Amino acid sequence: MPVTIKSKREIERMREAGKILAAVHDELKRFIQPGISTKEIDQKGEELIRGYGCIPSFLGYEGYPASVCVSVNDEVVHGIPSSQRILKEGDVVSLDTGVIYEGWQSDAARTYGVGTISEEKSKLIEVTRKSFFAGIACAKPGNHLYDISKAIQSYVKPYGYGIVKDLCGHGIGSSMHEEPMIPNYKKFGRGILLKPGMTLAIEPMINLGTWKVAWLDDGWTVVTMDGSISAHYENTILITDGEPEILSLSEDSEDRI
């Protein structure tokens, strides 16, 4: 399937979806604290999404049982919320969720420390976040898709972290996952030419140790092969005539660089 170019009307709906998703993440960030369960985070996320008049993108997607993927410590992505999984001081938790607004999607992820975390964990989270911005600096018309991938890898490599290879970013629009697939490391070739109107979900997933991952028996949860901590940062972006527009990040967010 070819990469879709969105119309002005479609972009406006995706822009609104992104604005709502940014607000959901901002509120979930304030909700994170030691002693709450990952199920409570999911319930809060679904309540917020529906409160904005949207549909949770993830709930029921290919059978996924929740509205927010809540991944703790060595869980890279797709952690299934549970009332038995209680966050503790010093944990690292990644929240990945999406919304559907009038048929159009937005997808974003954040990683947070629970209470006070080690400097090592804080650095991993920060490098992961900054690698996203290094990547989208190349998300301009005339550049190629793998310029984004190469920039992410180039930013992360000096730190010696593992860049997950088995999972990647993706196109997004009326469907959660569209073409193209977007690796977070340099691949052979250049990839497609970037054009205004393309909407992409860029999402580096970076591990403190090896890049290798495994799937748990639940069929969803992806964990680091060596048990090391993982971080995840994602936004939905729009390719414009100039600088890329981040659709799922609030204007006053501390994340902006």
Side-chain angles (χ1 to χ4, degrees):
M1 180 181 293
V3 178
T4 59
I5 303 295
K6 277 66 176 186
S7 67
K8 288 184 179 180
R9 179 176 177 274
E10 292 165 346
I11 288 169
E12 280 306 312
R13 279 157 177 71
M14 290 192 69
R15 191 173 276 130
E16 185 62 23
K19 180 180 177 182
I20 290 166
L21 183 55
V24 169
H25 269 295
D26 288 347
E27 293 188 56
L28 285 177
K29 179 181 180 179
R30 293 189 285 270
F31 190 67
I32 299 296
Q33 61 181 317
I36 67 169
S37 71
T38 57
K39 182 65 174 177
E40 287 176 283
I41 296 171
D42 174 58
Q43 290 171 334
K44 179 67 172 179
E46 181 173 351
E47 175 188 312
L48 289 167
I49 290 168
R50 295 195 186 279
Y52 281 109
C54 292
I55 298 169
S57 300
F58 294 3
L59 184 60
Y61 182 80
E62 295 187 357
Y64 186 74
S67 298
V68 183
C69 297
V70 187
S71 307
V72 184
N73 294 332
D74 66 332
E75 296 172 352
V76 182
V77 286
H78 306 158
I80 297 176
S82 168
S83 58
Q84 305 304 309
R85 189 69 184 272
I86 308 300
L87 296 184
K88 305 185 303 297
E89 184 87 14
D91 281 343
V92 168
V93 60
S94 298
L95 309 182
D96 187 2
T97 191
V99 306
I100 305 172
Y101 171 79
E102 295 187 2
W104 292 88
Q105 308 244 4
S106 191
D107 185 10
R110 311 280 187 264
T111 299
Y112 305 114
V114 181
T116 301
I117 62 173
S118 69
E119 184 177 334
E120 182 181 49
K121 293 175 181 177
S122 292
K123 185 177 179 181
L124 174 68
I125 293 170
E126 183 69 356
V127 168
T128 302
R129 180 181 71 86
K130 287 185 174 179
S131 73
F132 163 85
F133 286 94
I136 69 163
C138 297
K140 300 176 183 179
N143 284 353
H144 288 256
L145 185 70
Y146 295 160
D147 292 333
I148 298 172
S149 306
K150 180 180 179 181
I152 292 171
Q153 181 183 49
S154 295
Y155 187 85
V156 173
K157 188 175 180 180
Y159 296 95
Y161 298 147
I163 301 172
V164 175
K165 296 181 179 180
D166 295 341
L167 301 155
C168 61
H170 51 90
I172 184 171
S174 58
S175 299
M176 170 57 63
H177 294 106
E178 298 183 352
E179 291 294 333
M181 297 297 102
I182 310 166
N184 294 304
Y185 61 96
K186 180 67 173 73
K187 293 193 71 172
F188 179 77
R190 302 188 69 189
I192 63 167
L193 186 68
L194 299 176
K195 299 178 181 179
M198 290 180 175
T199 46
L200 310 173
I202 310 296
E203 51 177 322
M205 289 157 273
I206 311 298
N207 302 337
L208 197 56
T210 179
W211 61 268
K212 296 179 180 179
V213 297
W215 273 254
L216 296 186
D217 290 342
D218 62 24
W220 284 103
T221 309
V222 180
V223 298
T224 58
M225 193 75 82
D226 59 2
S228 62
I229 300 295
S230 186
H232 183 198
Y233 189 84
E234 175 187 21
N235 279 302
T236 299
I237 71 165
L238 168 68
I239 305 297
T240 73
D241 289 323
E243 297 297 321
E245 180 181 347
I246 306 175
L247 301 181
S248 56
L249 192 61
S250 53
E251 287 299 325
D252 60 349
S253 173
E254 295 177 354
D255 283 2
R256 287 191 178 272
I257 291 179

